[in-house]
Amino acid sequence: MNGRPPLGMIGLGRMGSNMVRRLMAGGHQCVVYDLSPDNVATLATAGATGTSSLDEFAAKLQPPRAAWIMVPAGAPTEQTVLALADRFQPGDTIIDGGNSYFKDDIRRSKLLADRGIRYLDAGTSGGIWGETRGYCLMVGGDPNAFRELEPIFQTLAPGPGDIAPTPGRRPTNSTAERGYLYCGPSGAGHFVKMVHNGIEYGLMQAYAEGFDIFKNANSPSLPEDHRYDLNIADIAELWRRGSVVGSWLLDLTAMALAEDPQLAHFTGKVADSGEGRWTILAAIEEAVPVEVLSAALYTRFRSRQDHTFAEKLLSAMRNKFGGHIEPK
């Protein structure tokens, strides 16, 4: 082990449990808690220290304690932060790694500062693939806490991998090349993650609409000599090689189409998890025009009515990168 006190992880869903596994593989000790005893037991079998209550969780951590919260944004995060703060002491650190609204981070950090408890907001991207690929981490909050806990971020992040430095980028002391970055004061990490997800909406929508054009290129409403019976899965595979629109999202799209070319297992009902809405609200407050991002958000609203092939593809992509399952 690396000699550091163990890190606590609250919330052992798809991402939380995989993050614990990656941390343990990197030599970190982890104390875990979840409302599901089965989730706790699974990770305890893998080497984590399982706990059955927040009291036990806090007691098993060594001061200065650090706990990463990976639960749904909103009330679950708020309740968990406050409950944990009642059990922590000055000098301890709480990290919110979920998709919280950045203004909630600002409020919570001030509340915890009055108790001497440090707070970090860590925007976390990587979905269900993060255990092996690593997580892109956007961190805001107490700079001293960030520096002290940096080995955790280093382990969770992908590292430089085989991605060459950006041509023309001057050498700096930035950690961006390693896949994690201290972005600024409280809320900055989740602010960057919020816009990241807003952009994600737009990128996904562009792919979905383009492939919908391919899907309908053989429509009977077109002149016969204007119709094309295109192999959509092959086109996705083609574009992965040398195309300027290549991306990880395209990789996942190609995977989904290879498994189910007609996307028969998807209805096209696409949820939005909050960040897209908050991105639009931030743009309104800043008077920044975001036509593409707002249109992508509105399309998700409309998808909950009648569904197109584009919406099925959006749903398929969300399933691939985040394990999101369509609501019944």
Side-chain angles (χ1 to χ4, degrees):
M1 297 297 176
N2 60 14
R4 285 192 53 83
L7 172 72
M9 179 69 75
I10 299 176
L12 306 176
R14 290 186 299 261
M15 286 186 67
S17 59
N18 284 347
M19 291 169 72
V20 169
R21 292 188 180 94
R22 185 173 177 87
L23 285 166
M24 291 194 298
H28 295 266
Q29 297 173 293
C30 292
V31 176
V32 299
Y33 173 70
D34 190 84
L35 294 177
S36 166
D38 290 342
N39 290 349
V40 174
T42 298
L43 284 175
T45 300
T49 300
T51 61
S52 59
S53 68
L54 281 180
D55 288 329
E56 183 185 7
F57 174 84
K60 289 287 178 80
L61 294 171
Q62 302 170 18
R65 293 173 289 192
W68 191 301
I69 297 174
M70 207 68 188
V71 301
T77 294
E78 183 80 8
Q79 293 163 6
T80 305
V81 168
L82 296 179
L84 195 57
D86 288 339
R87 294 160 172 84
F88 270 22
Q89 299 172 346
D92 293 343
T93 303
I94 295 176
I95 307 165
D96 175 12
N99 284 324
S100 291
Y101 189 31
F102 76 97
K103 293 183 179 180
D104 288 334
D105 293 315
I106 296 170
R107 173 179 53 79
R108 283 197 286 259
S109 68
K110 293 176 180 177
L111 180 65
L112 295 182
D114 291 340
R115 305 188 188 192
I117 298 171
R118 304 179 302 181
Y119 183 85
L120 293 173
D121 50 282
T124 306
S125 181
I128 58 176
W129 299 82
E131 181 183 356
T132 53
R133 287 172 55 98
Y135 299 89
C136 179
L137 300 169
M138 299 145 262
V139 187
D142 188 300
N144 293 325
F146 170 79
R147 284 190 289 270
E148 292 173 20
L149 297 174
E150 195 166 353
I152 292 169
F153 302 120
Q154 288 175 338
T155 300
L156 288 172
D162 58 358
I163 300 176
T166 299
R169 178 175 166 84
R170 295 180 179 179
T172 67
N173 293 323
S174 173
T175 60
E177 290 86 351
R178 287 175 271 169
Y180 69 97
L181 183 68
Y182 176 75
C183 299
S186 289
H190 279 150
F191 185 87
V192 174
K193 177 59 161 50
M194 174 188 75
V195 178
H196 165 284
N197 282 28
I199 293 171
E200 179 185 295
Y201 281 29
L203 293 173
M204 292 171 68
Q205 187 64 31
Y207 282 125
E209 291 179 7
F211 280 91
D212 204 12
I213 295 172
F214 290 152
K215 177 70 174 177
N216 289 281
N218 202 26
S219 170
S221 64
L222 296 170
E224 189 170 353
D225 60 348
H226 290 184
R227 300 176 197 171
Y228 301 105
D229 186 11
L230 300 170
N231 187 315
I232 300 175
D234 276 357
I235 294 171
E237 191 66 23
L238 170 71
W239 284 357
R240 295 181 63 219
R241 291 161 173 81
S243 167
V244 295
V245 300
S247 71
W248 187 44
L249 279 175
L250 181 62
D251 293 345
L252 299 175
T253 298
M255 191 184 302
L257 290 170
E259 294 171 357
D260 181 6
Q262 300 303 317
L263 303 180
H265 293 87
F266 298 93
T267 66
K269 184 175 182 178
V270 183
D272 69 286
S273 53
E275 298 91 341
R277 301 186 189 204
W278 300 334
T279 300
I280 305 309
L281 289 174
I284 292 171
E285 291 175 352
E286 298 171 12
V288 173
V290 286
E291 294 94 337
V292 171
L293 305 190
S294 57
L297 175 65
Y298 297 150
T299 297
R300 294 197 177 200
F301 295 162
R302 197 199 60 74
S303 77
R304 292 155 209 172
Q305 301 169 22
D306 295 327
H307 304 307
T308 66
F309 186 82
E311 286 148 4
K312 289 185 178 184
L313 192 58
L314 284 175
S315 191
M317 281 189 276
R318 291 183 80 247
N319 175 262
K320 281 300 173 189
F321 73 72
H324 302 290
I325 300 173
E326 289 182 340
K328 298 295 183 183

mmCIF file of all heavy atoms in Angstrom, residues 221-258:
data_model
loop_
_atom_site.group_PDB
_atom_site.id
_atom_site.type_symbol
_atom_site.label_atom_id
_atom_site.label_comp_id
_atom_site.label_asym_id
_atom_site.label_seq_id
_atom_site.Cartn_x
_atom_site.Cartn_y
_atom_site.Cartn_z
ATOM 1 N N SER A 221 -40.478 7.932 -50.340
ATOM 2 C CA SER A 221 -40.876 9.284 -50.745
ATOM 3 C C SER A 221 -39.833 9.951 -51.636
ATOM 4 O O SER A 221 -40.108 10.985 -52.256
ATOM 5 C CB SER A 221 -41.117 10.158 -49.504
ATOM 6 O OG SER A 221 -39.913 10.325 -48.772
ATOM 7 N N LEU A 222 -38.654 9.358 -51.734
ATOM 8 C CA LEU A 222 -37.599 9.915 -52.576
ATOM 9 C C LEU A 222 -37.685 9.349 -53.988
ATOM 10 O O LEU A 222 -38.170 8.227 -54.183
ATOM 11 C CB LEU A 222 -36.222 9.571 -51.986
ATOM 12 C CG LEU A 222 -35.884 10.166 -50.614
ATOM 13 C CD1 LEU A 222 -34.599 9.535 -50.084
ATOM 14 C CD2 LEU A 222 -35.736 11.675 -50.705
ATOM 15 N N PRO A 223 -37.210 10.106 -54.996
ATOM 16 C CA PRO A 223 -37.121 9.532 -56.342
ATOM 17 C C PRO A 223 -36.264 8.269 -56.305
ATOM 18 O O PRO A 223 -35.278 8.186 -55.557
ATOM 19 C CB PRO A 223 -36.442 10.645 -57.159
ATOM 20 C CG PRO A 223 -36.720 11.897 -56.398
ATOM 21 C CD PRO A 223 -36.765 11.508 -54.958
ATOM 22 N N GLU A 224 -36.631 7.293 -57.090
ATOM 23 C CA GLU A 224 -35.968 5.995 -57.007
ATOM 24 C C GLU A 224 -34.460 6.100 -57.224
ATOM 25 O O GLU A 224 -33.677 5.397 -56.553
ATOM 26 C CB GLU A 224 -36.578 5.031 -58.020
ATOM 27 C CG GLU A 224 -36.102 3.604 -57.839
ATOM 28 C CD GLU A 224 -36.905 2.627 -58.686
ATOM 29 O OE1 GLU A 224 -37.911 3.037 -59.305
ATOM 30 O OE2 GLU A 224 -36.505 1.449 -58.721
ATOM 31 N N ASP A 225 -34.040 6.972 -58.138
ATOM 32 C CA ASP A 225 -32.601 7.066 -58.398
ATOM 33 C C ASP A 225 -31.872 7.930 -57.367
ATOM 34 O O ASP A 225 -30.670 8.149 -57.480
ATOM 35 C CB ASP A 225 -32.331 7.593 -59.804
ATOM 36 C CG ASP A 225 -32.920 8.968 -60.042
ATOM 37 O OD1 ASP A 225 -33.724 9.434 -59.208
ATOM 38 O OD2 ASP A 225 -32.566 9.581 -61.076
ATOM 39 N N HIS A 226 -32.602 8.435 -56.358
ATOM 40 C CA HIS A 226 -31.992 9.191 -55.270
ATOM 41 C C HIS A 226 -31.928 8.379 -53.974
ATOM 42 O O HIS A 226 -31.510 8.895 -52.940
ATOM 43 C CB HIS A 226 -32.785 10.476 -54.995
ATOM 44 C CG HIS A 226 -32.660 11.492 -56.084
ATOM 45 N ND1 HIS A 226 -33.218 12.749 -55.994
ATOM 46 C CD2 HIS A 226 -32.051 11.439 -57.309
ATOM 47 C CE1 HIS A 226 -32.962 13.430 -57.096
ATOM 48 N NE2 HIS A 226 -32.256 12.652 -57.921
ATOM 49 N N ARG A 227 -32.337 7.128 -54.044
ATOM 50 C CA ARG A 227 -32.372 6.303 -52.835
ATOM 51 C C ARG A 227 -31.076 5.511 -52.674
ATOM 52 O O ARG A 227 -30.492 5.062 -53.660
ATOM 53 C CB ARG A 227 -33.554 5.323 -52.903
ATOM 54 C CG ARG A 227 -34.911 5.992 -53.014
ATOM 55 C CD ARG A 227 -35.999 4.941 -53.169
ATOM 56 N NE ARG A 227 -37.232 5.523 -53.675
ATOM 57 C CZ ARG A 227 -38.287 4.823 -54.074
ATOM 58 N NH1 ARG A 227 -38.231 3.485 -54.043
ATOM 59 N NH2 ARG A 227 -39.374 5.433 -54.507
ATOM 60 N N TYR A 228 -30.673 5.373 -51.422
ATOM 61 C CA TYR A 228 -29.474 4.589 -51.107
ATOM 62 C C TYR A 228 -29.782 3.648 -49.949
ATOM 63 O O TYR A 228 -30.271 4.078 -48.897
ATOM 64 C CB TYR A 228 -28.306 5.505 -50.726
ATOM 65 C CG TYR A 228 -27.934 6.481 -51.808
ATOM 66 C CD1 TYR A 228 -28.287 7.824 -51.708
ATOM 67 C CD2 TYR A 228 -27.229 6.060 -52.936
ATOM 68 C CE1 TYR A 228 -27.957 8.728 -52.706
ATOM 69 C CE2 TYR A 228 -26.893 6.956 -53.933
ATOM 70 C CZ TYR A 228 -27.259 8.286 -53.815
ATOM 71 O OH TYR A 228 -26.928 9.184 -54.815
ATOM 72 N N ASP A 229 -29.491 2.389 -50.146
ATOM 73 C CA ASP A 229 -29.637 1.391 -49.080
ATOM 74 C C ASP A 229 -28.273 1.257 -48.406
ATOM 75 O O ASP A 229 -27.439 0.438 -48.797
ATOM 76 C CB ASP A 229 -30.094 0.049 -49.670
ATOM 77 C CG ASP A 229 -30.394 -0.972 -48.595
ATOM 78 O OD1 ASP A 229 -30.442 -0.577 -47.407
ATOM 79 O OD2 ASP A 229 -30.560 -2.163 -48.933
ATOM 80 N N LEU A 230 -28.044 2.086 -47.415
ATOM 81 C CA LEU A 230 -26.720 2.220 -46.810
ATOM 82 C C LEU A 230 -26.537 1.259 -45.633
ATOM 83 O O LEU A 230 -27.468 1.022 -44.861
ATOM 84 C CB LEU A 230 -26.506 3.658 -46.327
ATOM 85 C CG LEU A 230 -26.587 4.731 -47.424
ATOM 86 C CD1 LEU A 230 -26.601 6.115 -46.799
ATOM 87 C CD2 LEU A 230 -25.413 4.588 -48.393
ATOM 88 N N ASN A 231 -25.332 0.751 -45.495
ATOM 89 C CA ASN A 231 -24.983 -0.064 -44.332
ATOM 90 C C ASN A 231 -24.473 0.892 -43.251
ATOM 91 O O ASN A 231 -23.314 1.320 -43.267
ATOM 92 C CB ASN A 231 -23.913 -1.089 -44.698
ATOM 93 C CG ASN A 231 -23.660 -2.068 -43.567
ATOM 94 O OD1 ASN A 231 -23.545 -1.681 -42.413
ATOM 95 N ND2 ASN A 231 -23.566 -3.346 -43.916
ATOM 96 N N ILE A 232 -25.351 1.229 -42.332
ATOM 97 C CA ILE A 232 -25.027 2.259 -41.348
ATOM 98 C C ILE A 232 -23.902 1.810 -40.425
ATOM 99 O O ILE A 232 -23.022 2.592 -40.069
ATOM 100 C CB ILE A 232 -26.293 2.632 -40.545
ATOM 101 C CG1 ILE A 232 -27.371 3.171 -41.509
ATOM 102 C CG2 ILE A 232 -25.979 3.676 -39.490
ATOM 103 C CD1 ILE A 232 -28.690 3.459 -40.837
ATOM 104 N N ALA A 233 -23.931 0.540 -40.039
ATOM 105 C CA ALA A 233 -22.877 0.036 -39.158
ATOM 106 C C ALA A 233 -21.507 0.138 -39.831
ATOM 107 O O ALA A 233 -20.503 0.480 -39.189
ATOM 108 C CB ALA A 233 -23.169 -1.412 -38.759
ATOM 109 N N ASP A 234 -21.451 -0.136 -41.125
ATOM 110 C CA ASP A 234 -20.191 -0.034 -41.856
ATOM 111 C C ASP A 234 -19.708 1.418 -41.934
ATOM 112 O O ASP A 234 -18.503 1.694 -41.861
ATOM 113 C CB ASP A 234 -20.342 -0.597 -43.266
ATOM 114 C CG ASP A 234 -20.180 -2.113 -43.313
ATOM 115 O OD1 ASP A 234 -19.888 -2.711 -42.260
ATOM 116 O OD2 ASP A 234 -20.345 -2.688 -44.409
ATOM 117 N N ILE A 235 -20.647 2.336 -42.105
ATOM 118 C CA ILE A 235 -20.251 3.749 -42.176
ATOM 119 C C ILE A 235 -19.662 4.202 -40.844
ATOM 120 O O ILE A 235 -18.646 4.897 -40.800
ATOM 121 C CB ILE A 235 -21.456 4.621 -42.568
ATOM 122 C CG1 ILE A 235 -21.899 4.291 -44.002
ATOM 123 C CG2 ILE A 235 -21.114 6.101 -42.438
ATOM 124 C CD1 ILE A 235 -23.196 4.944 -44.408
ATOM 125 N N ALA A 236 -20.289 3.787 -39.745
ATOM 126 C CA ALA A 236 -19.746 4.130 -38.430
ATOM 127 C C ALA A 236 -18.343 3.557 -38.264
ATOM 128 O O ALA A 236 -17.424 4.235 -37.757
ATOM 129 C CB ALA A 236 -20.664 3.603 -37.324
ATOM 130 N N GLU A 237 -18.157 2.312 -38.717
ATOM 131 C CA GLU A 237 -16.839 1.675 -38.619
ATOM 132 C C GLU A 237 -15.824 2.398 -39.511
ATOM 133 O O GLU A 237 -14.663 2.603 -39.128
ATOM 134 C CB GLU A 237 -16.945 0.204 -39.016
ATOM 135 C CG GLU A 237 -15.721 -0.615 -38.709
ATOM 136 C CD GLU A 237 -15.461 -0.761 -37.217
ATOM 137 O OE1 GLU A 237 -16.406 -0.624 -36.418
ATOM 138 O OE2 GLU A 237 -14.293 -1.004 -36.856
ATOM 139 N N LEU A 238 -16.259 2.800 -40.704
ATOM 140 C CA LEU A 238 -15.392 3.532 -41.622
ATOM 141 C C LEU A 238 -14.901 4.835 -40.999
ATOM 142 O O LEU A 238 -13.709 5.153 -41.035
ATOM 143 C CB LEU A 238 -16.160 3.811 -42.914
ATOM 144 C CG LEU A 238 -15.519 4.774 -43.902
ATOM 145 C CD1 LEU A 238 -14.292 4.129 -44.548
ATOM 146 C CD2 LEU A 238 -16.533 5.213 -44.959
ATOM 147 N N TRP A 239 -15.825 5.595 -40.434
ATOM 148 C CA TRP A 239 -15.492 6.909 -39.895
ATOM 149 C C TRP A 239 -14.547 6.839 -38.691
ATOM 150 O O TRP A 239 -13.936 7.844 -38.328
ATOM 151 C CB TRP A 239 -16.769 7.647 -39.506
ATOM 152 C CG TRP A 239 -17.518 8.195 -40.679
ATOM 153 C CD1 TRP A 239 -17.154 8.161 -41.995
ATOM 154 C CD2 TRP A 239 -18.771 8.872 -40.633
ATOM 155 N NE1 TRP A 239 -18.101 8.767 -42.779
ATOM 156 C CE2 TRP A 239 -19.112 9.226 -41.965
ATOM 157 C CE3 TRP A 239 -19.653 9.213 -39.612
ATOM 158 C CZ2 TRP A 239 -20.275 9.894 -42.278
ATOM 159 C CZ3 TRP A 239 -20.818 9.888 -39.917
ATOM 160 C CH2 TRP A 239 -21.136 10.226 -41.240
ATOM 161 N N ARG A 240 -14.434 5.680 -38.071
ATOM 162 C CA ARG A 240 -13.511 5.532 -36.952
ATOM 163 C C ARG A 240 -12.052 5.600 -37.404
ATOM 164 O O ARG A 240 -11.156 5.721 -36.575
ATOM 165 C CB ARG A 240 -13.747 4.197 -36.239
ATOM 166 C CG ARG A 240 -15.103 4.069 -35.552
ATOM 167 C CD ARG A 240 -15.218 2.723 -34.853
ATOM 168 N NE ARG A 240 -14.215 2.621 -33.801
ATOM 169 C CZ ARG A 240 -13.533 1.510 -33.527
ATOM 170 N NH1 ARG A 240 -13.724 0.408 -34.250
ATOM 171 N NH2 ARG A 240 -12.645 1.497 -32.556
ATOM 172 N N ARG A 241 -11.831 5.523 -38.706
ATOM 173 C CA ARG A 241 -10.477 5.424 -39.244
ATOM 174 C C ARG A 241 -10.154 6.619 -40.151
ATOM 175 O O ARG A 241 -10.514 6.635 -41.324
ATOM 176 C CB ARG A 241 -10.330 4.104 -40.012
ATOM 177 C CG ARG A 241 -10.364 2.907 -39.093
ATOM 178 C CD ARG A 241 -10.688 1.611 -39.804
ATOM 179 N NE ARG A 241 -10.532 0.481 -38.886
ATOM 180 C CZ ARG A 241 -11.453 0.114 -37.999
ATOM 181 N NH1 ARG A 241 -12.598 0.781 -37.917
ATOM 182 N NH2 ARG A 241 -11.226 -0.907 -37.186
ATOM 183 N N GLY A 242 -9.488 7.600 -39.579
ATOM 184 C CA GLY A 242 -9.000 8.730 -40.361
ATOM 185 C C GLY A 242 -9.966 9.882 -40.523
ATOM 186 O O GLY A 242 -9.567 10.940 -41.008
ATOM 187 N N SER A 243 -11.222 9.710 -40.123
ATOM 188 C CA SER A 243 -12.198 10.779 -40.317
ATOM 189 C C SER A 243 -12.024 11.875 -39.278
ATOM 190 O O SER A 243 -11.665 11.616 -38.120
ATOM 191 C CB SER A 243 -13.614 10.206 -40.205
ATOM 192 O OG SER A 243 -14.562 11.247 -40.090
ATOM 193 N N VAL A 244 -12.341 13.112 -39.669
ATOM 194 C CA VAL A 244 -12.246 14.225 -38.722
ATOM 195 C C VAL A 244 -13.367 14.179 -37.690
ATOM 196 O O VAL A 244 -13.314 14.899 -36.687
ATOM 197 C CB VAL A 244 -12.276 15.594 -39.450
ATOM 198 C CG1 VAL A 244 -11.059 15.754 -40.333
ATOM 199 C CG2 VAL A 244 -13.569 15.772 -40.230
ATOM 200 N N VAL A 245 -14.395 13.357 -37.900
ATOM 201 C CA VAL A 245 -15.461 13.242 -36.906
ATOM 202 C C VAL A 245 -15.260 12.030 -35.996
ATOM 203 O O VAL A 245 -16.146 11.661 -35.235
ATOM 204 C CB VAL A 245 -16.864 13.192 -37.557
ATOM 205 C CG1 VAL A 245 -17.120 14.455 -38.350
ATOM 206 C CG2 VAL A 245 -17.034 11.951 -38.418
ATOM 207 N N GLY A 246 -14.080 11.404 -36.073
ATOM 208 C CA GLY A 246 -13.794 10.298 -35.184
ATOM 209 C C GLY A 246 -13.762 10.739 -33.725
ATOM 210 O O GLY A 246 -13.334 11.851 -33.404
ATOM 211 N N SER A 247 -14.233 9.880 -32.818
ATOM 212 C CA SER A 247 -14.248 10.180 -31.386
ATOM 213 C C SER A 247 -14.614 8.918 -30.626
ATOM 214 O O SER A 247 -15.020 7.908 -31.216
ATOM 215 C CB SER A 247 -15.261 11.280 -31.062
ATOM 216 O OG SER A 247 -16.582 10.776 -31.208
ATOM 217 N N TRP A 248 -14.497 8.997 -29.303
ATOM 218 C CA TRP A 248 -14.922 7.867 -28.481
ATOM 219 C C TRP A 248 -16.428 7.650 -28.603
ATOM 220 O O TRP A 248 -16.910 6.522 -28.633
ATOM 221 C CB TRP A 248 -14.513 8.089 -27.016
ATOM 222 C CG TRP A 248 -14.762 6.896 -26.140
ATOM 223 C CD1 TRP A 248 -14.494 5.587 -26.431
ATOM 224 C CD2 TRP A 248 -15.341 6.893 -24.842
ATOM 225 N NE1 TRP A 248 -14.860 4.769 -25.378
ATOM 226 C CE2 TRP A 248 -15.379 5.550 -24.378
ATOM 227 C CE3 TRP A 248 -15.816 7.901 -23.993
ATOM 228 C CZ2 TRP A 248 -15.878 5.185 -23.130
ATOM 229 C CZ3 TRP A 248 -16.304 7.537 -22.746
ATOM 230 C CH2 TRP A 248 -16.337 6.195 -22.329
ATOM 231 N N LEU A 249 -17.190 8.740 -28.723
ATOM 232 C CA LEU A 249 -18.633 8.599 -28.915
ATOM 233 C C LEU A 249 -18.931 7.852 -30.206
ATOM 234 O O LEU A 249 -19.860 7.039 -30.267
ATOM 235 C CB LEU A 249 -19.306 9.973 -28.933
ATOM 236 C CG LEU A 249 -19.583 10.617 -27.576
ATOM 237 C CD1 LEU A 249 -20.145 12.025 -27.763
ATOM 238 C CD2 LEU A 249 -20.543 9.783 -26.743
ATOM 239 N N LEU A 250 -18.158 8.119 -31.251
ATOM 240 C CA LEU A 250 -18.351 7.384 -32.497
ATOM 241 C C LEU A 250 -17.978 5.919 -32.313
ATOM 242 O O LEU A 250 -18.641 5.025 -32.857
ATOM 243 C CB LEU A 250 -17.537 8.006 -33.630
ATOM 244 C CG LEU A 250 -17.693 7.323 -34.994
ATOM 245 C CD1 LEU A 250 -19.133 7.410 -35.489
ATOM 246 C CD2 LEU A 250 -16.747 7.939 -36.021
ATOM 247 N N ASP A 251 -16.920 5.652 -31.544
ATOM 248 C CA ASP A 251 -16.552 4.262 -31.253
ATOM 249 C C ASP A 251 -17.720 3.532 -30.598
ATOM 250 O O ASP A 251 -18.051 2.391 -30.955
ATOM 251 C CB ASP A 251 -15.350 4.210 -30.309
ATOM 252 C CG ASP A 251 -14.067 4.745 -30.935
ATOM 253 O OD1 ASP A 251 -14.030 4.893 -32.173
ATOM 254 O OD2 ASP A 251 -13.125 5.005 -30.175
ATOM 255 N N LEU A 252 -18.360 4.187 -29.633
ATOM 256 C CA LEU A 252 -19.478 3.563 -28.925
ATOM 257 C C LEU A 252 -20.687 3.414 -29.851
ATOM 258 O O LEU A 252 -21.437 2.434 -29.758
ATOM 259 C CB LEU A 252 -19.838 4.398 -27.701
ATOM 260 C CG LEU A 252 -18.723 4.540 -26.654
ATOM 261 C CD1 LEU A 252 -19.153 5.484 -25.540
ATOM 262 C CD2 LEU A 252 -18.337 3.184 -26.079
ATOM 263 N N THR A 253 -20.873 4.390 -30.733
ATOM 264 C CA THR A 253 -21.953 4.293 -31.711
ATOM 265 C C THR A 253 -21.746 3.090 -32.616
ATOM 266 O O THR A 253 -22.681 2.316 -32.874
ATOM 267 C CB THR A 253 -22.005 5.574 -32.561
ATOM 268 O OG1 THR A 253 -22.286 6.692 -31.721
ATOM 269 C CG2 THR A 253 -23.059 5.476 -33.644
ATOM 270 N N ALA A 254 -20.528 2.912 -33.096
ATOM 271 C CA ALA A 254 -20.218 1.764 -33.958
ATOM 272 C C ALA A 254 -20.457 0.457 -33.212
ATOM 273 O O ALA A 254 -20.969 -0.517 -33.786
ATOM 274 C CB ALA A 254 -18.770 1.850 -34.433
ATOM 275 N N MET A 255 -20.117 0.424 -31.942
ATOM 276 C CA MET A 255 -20.324 -0.771 -31.138
ATOM 277 C C MET A 255 -21.821 -1.090 -31.004
ATOM 278 O O MET A 255 -22.252 -2.237 -31.167
ATOM 279 C CB MET A 255 -19.709 -0.572 -29.747
ATOM 280 C CG MET A 255 -19.634 -1.827 -28.904
ATOM 281 S SD MET A 255 -18.998 -1.463 -27.235
ATOM 282 C CE MET A 255 -17.417 -0.735 -27.644
ATOM 283 N N ALA A 256 -22.613 -0.052 -30.730
ATOM 284 C CA ALA A 256 -24.055 -0.256 -30.582
ATOM 285 C C ALA A 256 -24.683 -0.748 -31.886
ATOM 286 O O ALA A 256 -25.532 -1.648 -31.882
ATOM 287 C CB ALA A 256 -24.712 1.042 -30.135
ATOM 288 N N LEU A 257 -24.259 -0.173 -33.017
ATOM 289 C CA LEU A 257 -24.821 -0.568 -34.314
ATOM 290 C C LEU A 257 -24.362 -1.964 -34.723
ATOM 291 O O LEU A 257 -25.104 -2.692 -35.391
ATOM 292 C CB LEU A 257 -24.424 0.453 -35.379
ATOM 293 C CG LEU A 257 -25.098 1.823 -35.256
ATOM 294 C CD1 LEU A 257 -24.440 2.822 -36.205
ATOM 295 C CD2 LEU A 257 -26.599 1.724 -35.530
ATOM 296 N N ALA A 258 -23.150 -2.340 -34.321
ATOM 297 C CA ALA A 258 -22.681 -3.695 -34.627
ATOM 298 C C ALA A 258 -23.505 -4.732 -33.880
ATOM 299 O O ALA A 258 -23.804 -5.804 -34.404
ATOM 300 C CB ALA A 258 -21.203 -3.829 -34.269
#
